[in-house]
């Protein structure tokens, strides 16, 4: 069981490099799905493995064995590893829970502030204009979705660039990119190796919106110029928006601008292997976690005196 449950904790370390390769080789919208889904699966499997280690350690103690209606404390083939792994897992889960709770509270406060600010400004359809000296623009999820832009940002762009910026933010809302960003944030708190993947997912979301905006306005150079000028205007501004509210000014803007000035992404012969490798990591993690949990359940039944029935 121990070896099987270690795999879900080790496989996430391979994901950051694979995610970067997927960004280089896949179309942005495809890369967003290919990176996010395995990342969430791996995060869930790592939590399941940590939970199994904790339960495995607890049920070796007479008190918890009695609470679990075990005839005798749980026995394992690797007793020397069980207690250290259980103690370490308790610490890791506690840190994960603490950092996640802090992040959720901070994001909720920022979301409420942003929604209140948007509600008080003049609106035209889905566009909300906030009177502020800070250049900022972002896609705000909710009911209904909003595009929030400050007066300072509007003054920083000409009319055509504004339309490209609005198209970018509308693409975020239309594709539900806030769900991907929220999933990336959640996964980052489940396993430390998945923290760099959060930035890869954010970049994929921004690149997908860049391409959608370029298609909407029919001009890749105009879209690149709008994003570059918006980023320059807001580079020293600390936005109050939540992290799951995507904005055109985030991420490595020079890389995004260069991609827009290049030809649209074309398929690569080796592209499918990136998706296969990421899917394989997720599948192996699921199988390993499932195998470990089934073995754990069987040994609990044996300890309860049911194994011989």
């Amino acid at each position: 069981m121990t070896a099987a449950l270690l795999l879900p904790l080790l496989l996430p370390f391979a994901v950051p490099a694979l995610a970067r390769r997927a960004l280089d080789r896949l179309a942005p919208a495809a890369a967003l799905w290919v990176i996010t889904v395995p990342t969430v699966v791996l995060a869930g499997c790592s939590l399941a493995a940590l939970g199994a280690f904790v339960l495995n350690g607890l049920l070796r103690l007479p008190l918890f064995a009695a609470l679990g209606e075990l005839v005798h404390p749980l026995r394992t083939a690797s007793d020397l590893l069980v207690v250290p792994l259980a103690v370490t897992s308790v610490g890791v889960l506690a840190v994960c829970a603490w950092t996640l709770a802090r992040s959720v509270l901070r994001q909720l406060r920022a979301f409420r502030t942003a929604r209140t600010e948007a509600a008080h400004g003049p609106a035209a359809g889905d566009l909300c204009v906030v009177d502020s000296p800070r250049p900022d623009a972002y896609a705000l999820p909710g009911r209904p979705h909003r595009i929030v832009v400050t007066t300072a940002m509007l003054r920083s762009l000409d009319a055509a660039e504004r339309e490209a910026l609005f198209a970018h933010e509308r693409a975020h809302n239309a594709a539900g990119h806030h769900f991907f960003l929220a999933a990336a944030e959640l996964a980052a708190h489940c396993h430390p190796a998945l923290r760099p993947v959060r930035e890869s997912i954010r970049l994929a979301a921004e690149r997908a919106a860049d391409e959608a905006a370029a298609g909407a306005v029919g001009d890749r150079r105009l879209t690149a110029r709008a994003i570059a000028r918006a980023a320059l205007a807001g580079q020293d501004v600390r936005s109050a928006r939540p992290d799951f509210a995507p904005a055109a000014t985030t991420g490595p803007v020079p890389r995004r601008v260069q991609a827009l000035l290049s030809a649209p992404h074309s398929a690569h012969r080796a592209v499918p292997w990136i998706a296969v490798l990421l899917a394989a990591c997720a599948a192996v993690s699921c199988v390993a976690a499932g195998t470990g949990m089934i073995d754990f359940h069987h040994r609990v039944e044996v300890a309860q005196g049911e194994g011989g029935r």
Side-chain angles (χ1 to χ4, degrees), residues 18 117 171 219 225 240 280 309:
L18 292 175
E117 189 178 57
D219 191 334
R225 187 171 73 246
R309 296 180 185 179

Side-chain angles (χ1 to χ4, degrees), residues 52-79:
F53 282 132
V54 171
L55 290 175
N56 197 50
L58 288 176
L59 292 179
R60 293 186 72 253
L61 302 176
L63 174 62
F64 289 96
L67 291 175
E69 299 181 351
L70 272 62
V71 175
H72 53 76
L74 199 65
R75 297 189 179 96
T76 63
S78 53
D79 288 344

Side-chain angles (χ1 to χ4, degrees), residues 188-273:
H189 292 282
C190 295
H191 197 291
L194 298 178
R195 290 174 186 171
V197 184
R198 175 172 49 187
E199 297 308 315
S200 295
I201 292 174
R202 181 173 294 278
L203 177 56
E206 293 303 327
R207 284 283 299 112
D210 291 343
E211 293 296 331
V217 301
D219 191 334
R220 298 180 68 84
R221 295 187 67 85
L222 170 62
T223 306
R225 187 171 73 246
I227 290 169
R229 292 190 63 182
L232 285 173
Q235 64 181 343
D236 296 325
V237 175
R238 184 172 182 178
S239 177
R241 63 179 173 81
D243 291 341
F244 58 82
T249 57
T250 59
V253 175
R255 179 177 175 181
R256 292 168 51 202
V257 169
Q258 182 180 11
L260 281 169
L261 295 178
S262 304
H265 196 284
S266 58
H268 191 280
R269 184 179 301 175
V271 163
W273 290 106

Side-chain angles (χ1 to χ4, degrees), residues 162-206:
R162 292 173 195 165
E163 289 304 315
L165 180 66
F166 298 158
H168 176 98
E169 304 303 351
R170 287 192 177 98
H172 279 311
N173 281 334
H177 288 164
H178 49 282
F179 291 117
F180 293 91
L181 299 183
E185 183 70 19
L186 177 64
H189 292 282
C190 295
H191 197 291
L194 298 178
R195 290 174 186 171
V197 184
R198 175 172 49 187
E199 297 308 315
S200 295
I201 292 174
R202 181 173 294 278
L203 177 56
E206 293 303 327

